[in-house]
Amino acid sequence: MRDYQSFEVRNVSVIGHSGAGKTSVLEAMLYYTKATDRFGKTTEGSSMIDFDTEEIRRGLSVYTTIVPIEWEDSKINFIDTPGYLDFVGEKQGGFSVGDSSLIVVNAKDPLQSGTKLAYKQAVAEKKPTIFFINKLDEEHTSFDASYQALREEFGKSVIPFEVPIVEDGKIVGSVNIIKNKAWYYSPELADKPCPVPESMQEEVALYKDQIAEAVAMGDDELMEKFFSGEEFSDAELKRGVRIGVRNGEICPVYSGSAVNSIGIQRLMDLIVSYFPTYSERGMYTATTPNGVKVELLTSETEVLTAQVFKTIVDPFVGRISYVKVLSGVLAADSTVVNANNGKPEKISQIYIVKGKHQTAAGKLFTGDIGALVKLQNTKTNDTLCDKGKLLMADPITFDTPMYGQAVLPKTKNDEDRLSNGLARLQEEDPTFKVVNNPETKETVIYGIGDQHLDVIVNKLNSKFKAEVVLSNPKVTYRETITKTAIGEGRHKKQSGGHGQFGHVFVEFSPNPDEEEMVFAEKVFGGAVPKQYFPAVETGLRECCQKGPLAGYKMVNVKTTLLDGKYHDVDSSEMAFKMAAHLAYKDAMTKVRPILLEPIMNVKIRVPDEFTGAVIGDLNKRRGSIMGMTPVDSDQEIDAQVPMANMSRYCVELRSMTTGLGTYTMEMDRYDPVPEPYASRVIEESKKEK
């Protein structure tokens, strides 16, 4: 693998729905360009791209993989991303370093939710996009039906550039619309341009008119020529298409079959012809540590900035950091500085990664992607720079993990290895979070969904030898009182010598303005000396940590020490603390305690078509709809829902909306738990104890 200058490098994110064949397309390219001697398959464990045990076991991509392809004196860094939504963090990291997008579409179902999400993301990031309709060799597929579905969903920018030639239900070749030539797949005609079949000439002319119209819209000179009825030359068409693809006004559609290597060669030709190189971007904006924006050239002559977009933590190899060089040149055996924390890093070796293989390289030029090993102070989203020229790239935005499960080690030995494994896996995965809840004494791990956490659990076992079990995390209920009452506590104990004596009367009253217990005193005539007030307060605060109903923290309570008695010899701080405990216990039989539950503010965004189903589901969860706001073609629903009914919401919302719904959630307040839910929670708490 030779070093490539940045003007030769294209970075293409391969995105789309899970199962559309993204990895197969890249396996076909590797095989076609003789980078491998066989067509790899994930399920057989022979794939160069999906080689991890989790990917082989599941038969799908779990991680982002870099697949560089050398074609037509160019280097194309394909970034193969998972389509399954649980692994969106890997997709977001990989998508961020792509300068263009290849959306692979399943011909049997072209408008799967992953296709819609992929196109939405590509448009939002203003990345040039090509569609490849895959699996056209399978039964009950139609290029025209798939193309029309894409065009109706995504608009007139979606235009065919190559259409299949079908004879007796089989694809025997394809017609390139711009070149107006046909290619057949038979060995005797391979790679030889032929005339367009007479039966397809009208169809090809129609598609060419669509391309010409789209080209004309992006260039005033060509627009004038188009409306005057003149035909564009091949050079004019190619120039216009390059402009249109780069500005997003043209999204070419190609088609074929990855497993049969149909359409793969000219897909690579199309990418080299119309997708921009990274250096063509010209400028990008970085930020100094004190927040000043700086414009940098995407060139080797510029200062070095290289962003880490993916991290792997291996117990044996150490940390592996995947980087994209945004400007300048990154050289092996050099020292750089992490602009995010100011710490130096030694670059001992640079590797070019091709699936599961790595090749040592002396340098990475602007725009190129590679891997660094054993960086000590660098994590995902950090930027490496030259000393004295600290500049940070814009951080990659990762989804916030919302699906939580409590994690418990199976044995004492697993407990020690668990904490180390969780810390390492957090370094790897920005969409994985660990929270230690001091109130419930649980360690809760958060991910994107069931499959995401299943991968985490398997990695804890295989990489860190920690076996664990998962369970639903406990809900942090609260308890409070609804009546005012006075509790009496008298602690007296005689056991030879000094005894213990403390006697108090404490008023307990509701206090909705303050969550934490408020302590006051109204003692007259020194019935309880001031020196014992702190002991009484401490005793009451200890009691409020466990309410009388289910043992949850007591909130919104005011306690007032009214009266009491003491003994000159036998009274002590401990005696009055114990008297406070008894007063609390006495009062709880009179104040009518109730259970409170956390209520969450939930903001949900879904396409219009799913609004009714989502609202109906929220009602079943005892939710209250607070409002709805149209946002583009979506609806944004504001609701308030008890936390107890939201534990699996991320998984269930995805199921309801075919993966197109998103939500955020934050704590709002505590409300009384209605019956019979309160009785159920109290009963479960008693059983647990």
Side-chain angles (χ1 to χ4, degrees):
M1 177 78 67
R2 56 194 173 96
D3 289 336
Y4 281 83
Q5 297 293 325
S6 65
F7 64 85
E8 296 175 313
V9 176
R10 290 168 174 81
N11 299 306
V12 180
S13 300
V14 186
I15 55 180
H17 197 82
S18 181
K22 301 181 293 299
T23 302
S24 296
V25 168
L26 299 182
E27 290 282 0
M29 290 180 179
L30 288 169
Y31 183 63
Y32 190 89
T33 58
K34 297 180 170 55
T36 57
D37 57 4
R38 63 178 295 187
F39 190 107
K41 294 183 179 179
T42 303
T43 51
E44 295 176 359
S46 59
S47 172
M48 181 188 283
I49 302 168
D50 286 350
F51 54 87
D52 187 88
T53 53
E54 288 296 316
E55 295 175 313
I56 295 169
R57 183 164 73 90
R58 297 165 193 275
L60 51 81
S61 297
V62 172
Y63 304 105
T64 284
T65 308
I66 309 303
V67 186
I69 300 286
E70 297 176 20
W71 185 250
E72 299 292 344
D73 294 324
S74 293
K75 180 185 181 185
I76 311 169
N77 284 322
F78 287 101
I79 303 107
D80 184 36
T81 67
Y84 198 82
L85 290 174
D86 273 37
F87 312 118
V88 67
E90 286 284 329
K91 175 189 173 184
Q92 288 165 333
F95 184 78
S96 71
V97 295
D99 308 309
S100 307
S101 300
L102 172 62
I103 300 178
V104 180
V105 177
N106 187 337
K108 284 189 173 180
D109 189 0
L111 291 180
Q112 293 171 296
S113 58
T115 305
K116 296 177 182 179
L117 288 170
Y119 183 75
K120 185 176 182 180
Q121 190 172 17
V123 170
E125 298 291 328
K126 299 180 180 178
K127 293 189 178 182
T129 299
I130 291 172
F131 289 95
F132 181 76
I133 301 175
N134 191 27
K135 303 185 180 183
L136 272 174
D137 55 324
E138 296 185 6
E139 293 182 357
H140 311 299
T141 60
S142 162
F143 170 82
D144 187 60
S146 297
Y147 153 66
Q148 291 295 343
L150 293 174
R151 189 172 172 89
E152 287 174 15
E153 179 72 22
F154 304 130
K156 291 184 177 180
S157 63
V158 178
I159 305 171
F161 272 55
E162 190 151 320
V163 295
I165 303 171
V166 181
E167 294 180 0
D168 298 326
K170 292 186 177 180
I171 301 174
V172 298
S174 60
V175 174
N176 186 287
I177 305 298
I178 289 183
K179 294 180 179 178
N180 201 32
K181 295 290 183 181
W183 277 266
Y184 291 88
Y185 303 134
S186 59
E188 61 271 16
L189 292 176
D191 300 327
K192 294 179 181 178
C194 302
V196 176
E198 189 173 333
S199 61
M200 294 183 66
Q201 287 181 1
E202 186 176 337
E203 177 187 8
V204 170
L206 174 65
Y207 290 148
K208 193 166 185 177
D209 283 344
Q210 290 181 3
I211 296 173
E213 183 179 355
V215 163
M217 299 303 290
D219 186 289
D220 291 340
E221 183 182 331
L222 294 179
M223 184 181 290
E224 186 176 333
K225 191 172 183 179
F226 175 77
F227 283 112
S228 66
E230 297 180 56
E231 282 198 19
F232 297 150
S233 66
D234 288 347
E236 287 173 329
L237 267 181
K238 188 169 183 177
R239 174 171 63 86
V241 169
R242 283 173 64 88
I243 294 170
V245 170
R246 281 159 169 73
N247 64 24
E249 291 178 359
I250 297 176
C251 296
V253 179
Y254 261 45
S255 64
S257 166
V259 295
N260 290 313
S261 294
I262 295 173
I264 296 300
Q265 175 190 339
R266 271 180 298 286
L267 175 61
M268 293 188 289
D269 288 341
L270 181 75
I271 287 168
V272 170
S273 296
Y274 297 119
F275 272 168
T277 62
Y278 175 74
S279 64
E280 287 181 58
R281 179 174 175 174
M283 305 288 289
Y284 97 94
T285 304
T287 308
T288 65
N290 59 1
V292 177
K293 299 291 184 182
V294 178
E295 292 287 318
L296 297 177
L297 290 170
T298 54
S299 164
E300 281 83 24
T301 61
E302 188 60 90
V303 297
L304 170 67
T305 55
Q307 186 177 35
V308 177
F309 65 91
K310 174 180 168 73
T311 302
I312 297 174
V313 180
D314 190 282
F316 305 104
V317 178
R319 189 183 285 115
I320 303 169
S321 304
Y322 284 68
V323 298
K324 178 182 179 182
V325 179
L326 302 173
S327 63
V329 178
L330 181 63
D333 297 319
S334 64
T335 299
V336 297
V337 178
N338 184 325
N340 295 76
N341 57 31
K343 295 181 179 179
E345 290 281 14
K346 173 68 177 175
I347 307 298
S348 57
Q349 186 59 273
I350 298 172
Y351 292 94
I352 299 296
V353 180
K354 180 182 285 187
K356 62 183 175 182
H357 299 305
Q358 300 88 36
T359 306
K363 294 179 179 179
L364 276 182
F365 294 97
T366 297
D368 211 350
I369 293 170
L372 314 174
V373 295
K374 297 182 179 178
L375 298 184
Q376 299 300 308
N377 305 300
T378 299
K379 61 184 186 300
T380 298
N381 256 337
D382 287 351
T383 307
L384 303 176
C385 304
D386 294 321
K387 185 178 180 181
K389 299 173 182 176
L390 302 188
L391 295 164
M392 295 177 291
D394 289 341
I396 305 163
T397 301
F398 292 97
D399 279 7
T400 301
M402 303 290 284
Y403 179 58
Q405 289 280 280
V407 59
L408 282 171
K410 281 190 175 180
T411 68
K412 178 66 177 175
N413 290 335
D414 292 319
E415 187 174 344
D416 299 329
R417 294 189 285 259
L418 175 60
S419 59
N420 176 53
L422 291 176
R424 296 292 188 89
L425 292 177
Q426 279 192 103
E427 290 183 48
E428 271 194 1
D429 189 348
T431 60
F432 173 62
K433 182 175 70 172
V434 180
V435 175
N436 292 307
N437 190 324
E439 185 174 337
T440 62
K441 296 180 173 56
E442 288 181 321
T443 298
V444 182
I445 57 175
Y446 289 88
I448 302 300
D450 286 329
Q451 295 301 309
H452 185 199
L453 291 190
D454 187 53
V455 168
I456 294 292
V457 168
N458 291 339
K459 287 170 79 170
L460 283 170
N461 189 4
S462 61
K463 281 191 171 186
F464 302 99
K465 309 304 177 189
E467 289 192 71
V468 300
V469 292
L470 301 182
S471 61
N472 287 330
K474 296 174 184 175
V475 176
T476 53
Y477 291 98
R478 295 284 187 264
E479 297 181 30
T480 192
I481 62 177
T482 58
K483 286 183 64 179
T484 298
I486 295 174
E488 178 184 4
R490 187 171 187 268
H491 178 67
K492 182 177 181 180
K493 189 173 182 183
Q494 196 71 38
S495 57
H498 287 308
Q500 295 181 36
F501 181 80
H503 191 179
V504 295
F505 293 87
V506 180
E507 181 185 74
F508 293 79
S509 57
N511 185 32
D513 296 331
E514 295 285 342
E515 180 178 333
E516 292 296 322
M517 187 202 85
V518 173
F519 177 75
E521 56 81 20
K522 294 181 180 178
V523 179
F524 294 99
V528 178
K530 289 184 178 180
Q531 68 200 62
Y532 297 128
F533 290 177
V536 174
E537 180 179 358
T538 300
L540 294 173
R541 290 198 183 280
E542 286 179 356
C543 291
C544 283
Q545 294 306 307
K546 289 188 176 182
L549 296 175
Y552 292 102
K553 183 179 178 181
M554 182 72 74
V555 296
N556 304 124
V557 175
K558 181 178 181 180
T559 60
T560 306
L561 177 59
L562 299 176
D563 199 359
K565 296 177 183 178
Y566 77 102
H567 189 277
D568 288 334
V569 176
D570 291 343
S571 288
S572 65
E573 289 185 357
M574 179 57 69
F576 273 97
K577 182 177 173 183
M578 296 304 297
H581 279 236
L582 294 171
Y584 174 86
K585 188 175 181 180
D586 179 45
M588 289 304 109
T589 63
K590 311 169 189 175
V591 292
R592 198 180 297 160
I594 59 170
L595 194 68
L596 303 175
E597 63 181 343
I599 304 297
M600 313 303 291
N601 280 330
V602 186
K603 191 179 289 291
I604 307 156
R605 183 167 173 173
V606 295
D608 278 334
E609 63 199 273
F610 300 110
T611 303
V614 169
I615 290 176
D617 177 74
L618 289 171
N619 289 331
K620 291 177 184 177
R621 297 173 189 272
R622 296 191 286 125
S624 300
I625 309 302
M626 310 306 291
M628 291 173 54
T629 309
V631 181
D632 299 327
S633 59
D634 295 341
Q635 284 287 345
E636 193 168 83
I637 304 167
D638 289 303
Q640 293 188 330
V641 192
M643 179 193 278
N645 297 331
M646 295 296 287
S647 62
R648 289 184 55 82
Y649 191 66
C650 63
V651 177
E652 288 154 355
L653 178 66
R654 183 187 306 166
S655 176
M656 276 186 287
T657 63
T658 65
L660 298 175
T662 60
Y663 79 106
T664 58
M665 184 170 70
E666 61 181 13
M667 175 69 184
D668 181 55
R669 67 185 187 281
Y670 280 90
D671 275 356
V673 183
E675 291 292 351
Y677 304 104
S679 297
R680 194 180 306 155
V681 171
I682 293 167
E683 187 63 31
E684 288 174 357
S685 176
K686 288 177 179 177
K687 284 181 181 178
E688 193 174 302
K689 291 175 182 177

